[in-house]
Amino acid sequence: MAANMIKITDMEKIYRTEEVETVALNKLNIEVKNGEFVAVMGPSGCGKSTLLNILGLLDDPDNGSFVFNDIEVAHFNERRRADLRKHNIGFVFQSFNLIDELTVFENVELPLIYTGIKGPERKKRVEAVLDKVQIMHRRNHYPQQLSGGQQQRVAVARAVVNNPKLILADEPTGNLDSSNGNDVMQLLTELNEQGTTIVMVTHSEHDARYSHRIIRMLDGQTVTENILI
Amino acid sequence: MIKNYLLIAWRNLLKNKTFSIINITGLAIGLSCFLLIALYVLDELSFDKFNDKADRIYRINAALRFGGADLNFPLSSDMMGQVLKKDYPQVEDYTRIYNSNGSKLVKKGTEFITEYNVAHADSTLFNIFTLPAIEGDTKTALNEPNSVVITEKTANKYFGTSHAVGKTLETDDNTKTLYKVTAVIKDIPLNSHFNFDFFFSMKNVDYQWGQFTSHNFHTYLLLKKGTDYKAFEKNFDTYVDKYVIPEIKTFTQIKSMAEFKKAGNMLEYSLIPLTEIHLYSNRQYEFLPGGNIQYVYIFSAVAIFILIIACINFMNLTTARSSNRAREVGIRKVLGTVRKDLIKQFLIESVLMVVLSMVIAIGICYLVLPLFNSVADKTMTVRSLLSPIILPLLIGLPFVVGLLAGSYPAFFLSAFKPIEVLKGKLKLGKSGSLRSVLVVVQFTTSIMLIIGTIVIYRQLHYIQTRDIGFNKDQVLIVNNVYTLNNNAVPFKQEILKMAGVKSGTLSGYLPVSSSSRSDNVFSKSPVMDSKNGFDMQNWRIDYDYLQTFGMQLAKGRNFSKEYGSDSGAVIINETAAQILGYKDPIGQKIYRSGDAPGQEISYNIIGVVKNFNYESLKQTVGPLGLFLHSSSGFASFKVNAAYVPEILKHVESTWKAMAPGLPLKYRFLDDSFNEMYTGEQRIGKIILIFSVLAILIACLGLFGLSTFIAEQRTKEIGVRKVLGASVQGIVQLLSKEFMILVAVAFIIATPVAWWGMSKWLTNFVYRINIEWWMFALAGVLALSIALATTSFQAIKAALMNPVKSLRTE
Ligand SMILES: Nc1ncnc2c1ncn2[C@@H]1O[C@H](COP(=O)(O)OP(=O)(O)O)[C@@H](O)[C@H]1O
Ligand SMILES: [Mg+2]
């Protein structure tokens, strides 16, 4: 296995609306090693989410190279990206993004359905991961019936149920109070210790301290990198 | 203030263009369908009501069963009206119409024109029916022989003016007769069960048949005010005993009505109210093909269904959209708008939309009416929309539908606590299940209509392709050959010389409706009594008849010149053979009633022809005997299609040479055959049109709903895509619910449609079976149409970049 899971070179992403042209990523260069826990920080609008979306193969860059596990994926089409994504990457969002009409169990089960795992195996894996995030007792509840912290733990469970190599978290604690936030950060740390690579966007210096390295961005570029360990 | 509301309402319409267009168009189409059908139904219900005395006019119908043959016709005997008036004070007056020949040649200039709308009538006609005169006095107009009353358009046609009183018309129906025009009446309204252009004096009818036992007159009674016609009908038994039986006794051994009835026979008279003739009486020998009350019911149901579908759509879409407006309501409330104002705003918006739809609907009606008229064979005008039944609907409907559709958002949304709305905690679960019910109702209707269309078209196809016992294709029929007199046979010989003419026959009796018919009482034994006697069609044909029409013999032989004695021979059909009950009927005799008992005429059965359907497939094949006898109503030729143009040319020139000045009329047998089913074909077309429209409306609604739902579920779709859902998976997810609803609709529609169409098919004696594939086809059709409609939005939603839908603002 390559040492670098992610290698981004000279990446550009420009949003064009009717009048405005926004340079969201400006010749950005980033590397993330296998097993690393990286925090991305920077002021609002500097391109953090854009970066995460591209890392997550949800969006394609306008220019530059993106090597994921030694494969150049920048030019991948939608289908290949989706395929790569569902086997390798898990997402955690600031606003949880759970599906209201589905129970906790069903929400967590979704990624397994989409990767074609059979029923009994799904049940085993969903229950295991719900146990891990300590939400097993709420498995038949609907998202609205849970607190924010609980919802985010479900979201984390959903992100990891497929055993992804990479977890992308966009301000996972942004909507949580500090105690719930710490629980989620604890969870992410544990996952990282078990070998999952994590890239997390955050505004909180406190949360950033859980990571190995902080990448600071401004206007679509990296400005500094702090190595914490 | 109201202007302000309207202005805001208008702006809202423009703001949601797609939605408004779908919504207004759908409703407008639905409303116009409803209006068109309403016009049609009202027109059907209006028949004969223009007669001032309509509620007191009744026609006598007769039902006769004699030896297993059932006859049911709108005819009565020569004297019946007259003696009823004499015997019963309840009968204020009576009149008879006689059009036994069907058509007359009328001379215009030097040419004769074939006129079909001709009848002889008693002078009392105008006392009973409201047929106002333009010129002349209708009270006395038909008192004298050789007088005729014509309609305005006929006067214009023959004389170039409506002032035709005193002028003379020459007619030719075997003999030439001169008639003096004694009155000109207004054209008879189209919603009348008869549509004559000429009323000739009844005094010119030389009627030589039985005065009480032969039925050839349409007799109408005008009953005195307050007479119960059902009670009056009971007098008919007395009438039969007093007049009919004595006459029957003169030529049969039948002694009393009781004996006649005991042998399973029947002779019954009944009255039908004038205003019911068009829709309820579909007997043989009606003047015009009638309507059918069944269709009035079916169409009314369709009209109401389409209206409901359209209204449901409208409510559905308005409601669906309103939940997107929850935010707007929240903000408005925070800003201090009071609930009452919100309610008003929503209601005004929805009423405005319905009013717009109604205006468009009336426009559509105006544009489509000529087309609809030609399909439905009517002459309705948009003006009829101003009828006292429809006008209130036009005005009232927008308010009812508008208020109903607007009330949900108006009362439901305006009652929200603004904080909850703004927090997005609003759940519209309940209205979601209501919407599902509504979609099911729409598709149930659509599927029923599709099944109906399929069954009707299959039956029509079956009629076209069924083995009817003769070959209706490529038979050329020349009408009115009797006018050639002695030239009829030479005419036939001349045409037969042509290449491509395979055979030809002279006979007035054709195996399609609207040709000559005559029936007589026949008997298995010389003693003609109620047991042996039976009523049978007796047709006069020549040697080449069977061959020309391609009829098959089951037993025995055809008429042949090799047998000198064939004038005393008869070929019967299988039904007659069955009634006779001989193991081998060939060589047996049947007897026809003569002028008196003991004078019966005997015939030798020489052949049995396989049953052929000589009436429409709605009727069973009755007993028929074919006799070798000259009859020159029509000349029919079996022709080779490739030669038709030359043959027609030759027919024309031969006709001109043999009958100068007489009009040549010809047609093809299959056209006459198809004419028997124009009613059904028309219904097929109309149902087809309305099922297409019903589906169109339902689809518009579905499209609106799927747009709305896809919009509501953007976030969910985004999440699912992030988690690895494929485009196909998303499309399935979004379409699945609708498909389930359509499936439920299918399950409901199937038994109802099966029941309804089975009932319709009972109109036909010869009919198809309803088969499973007809339902399957309708289901698949509805499903694919629904799928196509919903998947458009679903695919659009599925292709959307999830990054966009998940961006937190
Ligand atoms: N879909 C989009 N269309 C147009 N502009 C966008 C879009 N997404 C992001 N942007 C712009 O790109 C820039 C970077 O956005 P984003 O990556 O969301 O910033 P961050 O997450 O760091 O706050 C911002 O200026 C934002 O307005
Ligand atoms: Mg962001």
Side-chain angles (χ1 to χ4, degrees), chain A residues 37 182 185-186 189 200 206-212 228:
Chain A
F37 187 162
N182 283 340
M185 287 316 300
Q186 207 60 56
T189 311
M200 174 184 76
H206 170 262
D207 287 353
R209 243 171 266 141
Y210 284 87
S211 72
H212 305 157
L228 299 178

Side-chain angles (χ1 to χ4, degrees), chain B residues 657-683:
Chain B
M658 292 186 171
L662 291 171
L664 167 68
K665 281 262 151 127
Y666 61 81
R667 56 192 160 132
F668 285 89
L669 183 64
D670 51 351
D671 293 334
S672 301
F673 177 83
N674 288 335
E675 261 165 38
M676 296 195 283
Y677 307 102
T678 40
E680 283 71 26
Q681 269 150 3
R682 187 170 300 143
I683 296 311

Side-chain angles (χ1 to χ4, degrees), chain A residues 15 17 22 24 43-51 170-171, chain B residues 804 807:
Chain A
Y15 290 111
T17 50
T22 315
S44 200
C46 71
K48 305 183 296 291
S49 295
T50 305
L51 171 64
D170 198 344
E171 301 183 37
Chain B
K804 277 199 185 118
R807 261 185 83 202

Side-chain angles (χ1 to χ4, degrees), chain B residues 445-464:
Chain B
T445 317
S446 304
I447 292 171
M448 288 195 305
L449 284 169
I450 298 177
I451 295 173
T453 311
I454 294 174
V455 172
I456 292 175
Y457 274 85
R458 281 312 295 175
Q459 174 67 20
L460 289 174
H461 176 76
Y462 171 78
I463 289 171
Q464 292 294 328

